[in-house]
Amino acid sequence: MNRIQKKYGVLLAAGGMAVCMAAGLMMGIHCSRDYTQKMVVEAAEQEMANEPQELENVEPYEVKADFSNLYASLYKDVVDEDIAKKVCEKYNLDYDTVLKGDLTREMYNYEEALWMKKKMGDRPLLDDGMNIDAGLEETSLEIYIDEVYAFGGGDEVIRSMCKEFDIDPDKAHISDLTEEQLIQIGEKAYETSDHPKE
């Protein structure tokens, strides 16, 4: 039995590392998507304004994105407009001038909760067997937590927190939780996991 555990332990560790890398990639994609889209549109508009041409003569524009100044960017330029406005309203921030780097961990947690309710609201709390290849937005809260915090304790965290909330995790969806409850679940997962702490 011990030989079998050792044999498959390496495979499980390798699988875990692959899942962690995929989660990191997906979070990077999520963080940079809006910023990149805005850069592409601005660059294309500037190019067209400088060199007016017939539409069929326009050459493809190559975009070279530089994310080194992402945290020096205006928050409203890199985050969904509705979510950015709600975060600014809740924390009394100036929507037009606040920089992404000015936000605290608490503010980012609130942003994430708003994002989950908006993008994943109809998804269940617990794993429903959805293939992770579908993307994190198409998975359960359990899979999302397991991916973000790189551990397998999402089910236990959600069940323990839902017991406190008096919510049936087997029947509830993400939209059934408040932003505060989603933040509490995220914090519990953060503390429970081996995810590097600040």
Side-chain angles (χ1 to χ4, degrees):
M1 180 72 174
N2 199 16
R3 277 190 9 229
I4 293 173
Q5 287 177 337
K6 286 182 183 178
K7 179 179 178 182
Y8 290 107
V10 172
L11 293 174
L12 287 173
M17 289 176 64
V19 167
C20 289
M21 289 188 297
L25 176 63
M26 293 180 97
M27 289 302 290
I29 289 169
H30 168 70
C31 185
S32 66
R33 180 182 57 222
D34 291 337
Y35 181 73
T36 303
Q37 287 174 348
K38 183 165 180 59
M39 286 181 54
V40 169
V41 170
E42 287 177 357
E45 287 175 350
Q46 185 178 7
E47 181 73 15
M48 291 178 72
N50 291 342
E51 297 180 23
Q53 301 175 2
E54 294 293 324
L55 188 57
E56 57 269 1
N57 294 333
V58 175
E59 293 185 26
Y61 187 83
E62 182 179 345
V63 176
K64 295 183 179 178
D66 177 12
F67 297 108
S68 60
N69 292 325
L70 179 63
Y71 288 98
S73 300
L74 288 173
Y75 182 59
K76 68 178 184 175
D77 291 343
V78 293
V79 176
D80 176 281
E81 181 179 356
D82 294 333
I83 292 173
K85 284 182 177 178
K86 287 178 182 176
V87 170
C88 290
E89 183 179 320
K90 179 174 175 67
Y91 293 100
N92 199 27
L93 303 172
D94 184 349
Y95 175 76
D96 292 314
T97 62
V98 68
L99 302 177
K100 185 158 177 69
D102 293 336
L103 272 68
T104 64
R105 183 166 173 250
E106 177 185 347
M107 295 172 190
Y108 280 119
N109 287 344
Y110 182 63
E111 175 194 316
E112 181 183 38
L114 291 171
W115 179 86
M116 283 192 286
K117 286 193 74 142
K118 182 173 184 174
K119 299 291 186 178
M120 301 174 64
D122 64 336
R123 303 303 305 147
L125 299 185
L126 299 176
D127 182 16
D128 62 352
M130 177 64 75
N131 186 345
I132 186 66
D133 293 336
L136 281 180
E137 291 178 23
E138 298 298 321
T139 65
S140 63
L141 180 61
E142 176 188 351
I143 298 295
Y144 179 84
I145 286 173
D146 285 350
E147 291 298 309
V148 169
Y149 296 105
F151 83 133
D155 179 271
E156 184 179 330
V157 167
I158 292 168
R159 287 187 186 281
S160 70
M161 295 304 293
C162 282
K163 187 174 183 180
E164 288 182 29
F165 304 149
D166 196 28
I167 292 174
D168 182 352
D170 294 305
K171 295 180 181 174
H173 292 83
I174 291 174
S175 61
D176 296 327
L177 300 174
T178 66
E179 288 87 2
E180 183 59 36
Q181 289 169 333
L182 286 167
I183 291 169
Q184 288 177 29
I185 289 171
E187 285 295 306
K188 178 83 169 181
Y190 175 78
E191 293 302 324
T192 305
S193 73
D194 293 331
H195 196 277
K197 310 296 189 275
E198 293 178 353

